[in-house]
């Protein structure tokens, strides 16, 4: 018998900060990593959401926070952030609350006030596959999307980034989505507001692409390309 490899320990605070510092240094050198591209997309959308709302801070729910610098960054900007993961989140801030939980649970989020924004950055593709120690759920991504819809205010925004290609695939680590599967997940109760695609020039340098380019396979990173979506919850 073989045991599926898992990564359930989480990441230390200094590792998260060090990785972020490396990405910034690479950017100064002209290399923009995929994580930085995803962060740029989320930042741009949140600025648009903020400008269209009152000057009050946004309530933001971040899913899959364990190794991400984004929740701390949003908290430092004054937003009220709830970071969620089944693994620990080591970073702290007065505007940041950490919750250990699984968004495939039907009861997840009971007692929480509705959110203006949900950020789900490179997370949905892993949910339900067990790699990070979560329970196995074949339709984990569908269950998660239903939960996030429930936790958003009417008109609230889901900022989603994930691996993307011309054809859907899945292994023990992640799903790689295509247009058909995105349409299936978000055909009811959502409206697409913005989308952005990225392809690799090297493993450490990703550029903005169009719909045709994101369907192709690139030898420098054949695993997948990247898609970012801004969905609005229909009222």
């Amino acid at each position: 018998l073989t045991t599926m490899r898992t990564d359930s320990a989480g990441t230390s605070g200094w590792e998260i900060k060090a990785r972020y510092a490396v990405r910034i240094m690479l950017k100064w050198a002209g290399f923009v990593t995929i994580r930085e591209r995803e962060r740029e997309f989320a930042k741009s959308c949140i600025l648009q959401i903020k400008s269209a709302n009152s000057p009050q801070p946004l309530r933001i729910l971040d899913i899959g926070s364990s190794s991400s610098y984004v929740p701390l960054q949003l908290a430092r900007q004054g937003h009220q952030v709830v970071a969620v993961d089944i693994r620990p989140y080591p970073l702290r801030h007065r505007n940041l609350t950490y919750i250990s939980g699984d968004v495939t649970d039907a009861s997840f989020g009971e007692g929480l006030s509705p959110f203006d924004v949900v950020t789900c950055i490179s997370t949905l593709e892993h949910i339900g596959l067990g790699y990070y120690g979560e329970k196995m759920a074949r339709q984990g991504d569908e269950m998660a999307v239903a939960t996030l819809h429930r936790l958003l205010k009417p008109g609230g925004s889901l900022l989603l980034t994930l691996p993307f290609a011309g054809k859907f695939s899945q292994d023990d680590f992640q799903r790689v989505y295509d247009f058909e599967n995105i349409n299936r997940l978000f055909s009811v109760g959502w409206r697409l507001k913005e989308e952005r695609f990225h392809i690799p020039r090297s493993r450490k340098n990703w550029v903005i692409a169009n719909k045709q380019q994101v369907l192709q396979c690139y030898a420098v990173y054949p695993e997948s390309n990247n898609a970012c979506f801004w969905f609005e919850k229909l009222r």
Side-chain angles (χ1 to χ4, degrees), residues 122-132 134 173-175:
S122 287
T123 297
L124 187 67
E125 64 268 24
H126 304 295
I127 294 176
L129 299 182
Y131 181 85
Y132 290 106
E134 78 278 18
F173 175 60
Q174 67 176 9
R175 307 172 187 88

Side-chain angles (χ1 to χ4, degrees), residues 33-177:
T33 67
I34 190 53
R35 292 293 170 260
E36 186 62 15
R37 289 293 185 190
E38 292 175 318
R39 191 196 66 81
E40 288 175 350
F41 177 80
K43 178 182 177 181
S44 172
C45 294
I46 287 171
L47 286 174
Q48 294 179 62
I49 295 165
K50 187 70 170 63
S51 66
N53 286 273
S54 69
Q56 298 300 317
L58 297 173
R59 275 183 51 77
I60 300 176
L61 179 67
D62 183 77
I63 305 299
S65 307
S66 180
S67 60
S68 175
Y69 192 74
V70 169
L72 178 63
Q73 201 164 41
L74 293 172
R76 286 177 170 174
Q77 293 169 4
H79 302 298
Q80 298 298 314
V81 180
V82 176
V84 175
D85 206 301
I86 60 169
R87 301 178 296 165
Y89 187 66
L91 302 177
R92 298 291 180 264
H93 191 276
R94 63 181 178 277
N95 296 332
L96 177 63
T97 302
Y98 162 70
I99 294 177
S100 175
D102 187 335
V103 292
T104 65
D105 290 338
S107 62
F108 176 83
E110 289 182 354
L112 292 176
S113 300
F115 291 89
D116 301 295
V117 178
V118 172
T119 51
C120 188
I121 298 176
S122 287
T123 297
L124 187 67
E125 64 268 24
H126 304 295
I127 294 176
L129 299 182
Y131 181 85
Y132 290 106
E134 78 278 18
K135 67 182 181 184
M136 300 289 289
R138 184 174 181 179
Q139 297 177 318
D141 53 351
E142 295 181 27
M143 298 161 72
V145 168
T147 297
L148 303 184
H149 189 275
R150 171 171 54 84
L151 293 175
L152 276 170
K153 295 179 179 178
S157 295
L158 169 61
L159 307 181
L160 174 71
T161 77
L162 36 71
F164 202 85
K167 183 179 180 181
F168 178 85
S169 63
Q170 178 178 319
D171 56 26
D172 290 342
F173 175 60
Q174 67 176 9
R175 307 172 187 88
V176 176
Y177 291 88

